Amino acid sequence: MNAIRVLVVEDEPLLAEAHSAYTERVPGFVVVGVAHTARAAMAALRAGGGVDLVLLDFRLPDLHGLDVCRALRAAGSSVDVLAVTSARDLAVVRTAVSLGVTHYLLKPFTFAAFRDKLERYADYRAQALADGEVAAQHEVDQMFATLRGTAGHSLPKGLDAQTLDRVRAALTDGTRAEVGLSATEVSALTGISRVTARRYLEYLVTVDRAARTPRYGTPGRPEVEYRPR
């Protein structure tokens, strides 16, 4: 599948730069534009360029992000929107859902949380854009579970979604993603046992969310380390 094209809409230049850098760190995503106002964002979308996903700050200087969503839908645009905002008002959240906002990410956030949202969106998009039709209800349920959170019912027996999310967050957070982690290190970061950490890490390998490599340089047999895919 082609890279998912992202428009970053954020009025703070430093934050816009950070969100762009975060996006480029996630495989399968590319930033095709940055806008600091609602007007600039709407102009960029009208100009074409095939934007697939908008990372939208709600508190823009010229228009609220919800009004941007309304304008997009009124214009017949089906572009997906990921709200990246500090707005915590439940009325805002409800309205965002009614306007088809795909995800809602509260500031401040870690790279792990940001990456998780994008990866879930990419998985959902791959399923949604497939040819044909769904065969049964469970396939629809799986699509929504992929988008909204880990589908606990699809995990192997003995694994739970909450612990899996903790392990994934530890594995993908900041510079640790570059150097890799052993099961012992994940155990220390998450508070679960080393054996349990290894089970979750091996599951991530089987679903192609992590890669396993030997770590040399220590006495005895080489230790196994894991990196996110």
Side-chain angles (χ1 to χ4, degrees), residues 93-172:
V93 176
R94 289 194 299 270
T95 303
V97 172
S98 72
L99 292 171
V101 170
T102 304
H103 273 309
Y104 199 103
L105 183 59
L106 284 173
K107 300 174 182 177
F109 51 83
T110 64
F111 172 68
F114 182 85
R115 175 176 178 145
D116 181 68
K117 289 287 188 291
L118 262 59
E119 287 180 339
R120 292 190 193 283
Y121 171 74
D123 288 346
Y124 160 78
R125 181 178 172 84
Q127 295 175 63
L129 295 182
D131 293 331
E133 59 183 34
V134 294
Q137 179 64 43
H138 76 273
E139 293 188 6
V140 178
D141 293 340
Q142 179 63 38
M143 287 175 62
F144 278 89
T146 297
L147 185 60
R148 301 304 180 193
T150 303
H153 65 273
S154 66
L155 294 176
K157 186 177 180 180
L159 303 187
D160 70 85
Q162 184 176 5
T163 304
L164 180 62
D165 285 344
R166 288 163 58 195
V167 171
R168 285 191 67 194
L171 200 62
T172 59

Side-chain angles (χ1 to χ4, degrees), residues 172-208:
T172 59
D173 189 22
T175 57
R176 291 196 293 263
E178 305 297 328
V179 300
L181 291 174
S182 67
T184 300
E185 291 162 340
V186 171
S187 169
L189 289 167
T190 60
I192 61 179
S193 71
R194 183 187 64 80
V195 173
T196 299
R198 185 174 182 277
R199 288 184 62 206
Y200 281 90
L201 290 165
E202 288 296 322
Y203 170 73
L204 290 174
V205 171
T206 64
V207 296
D208 203 31

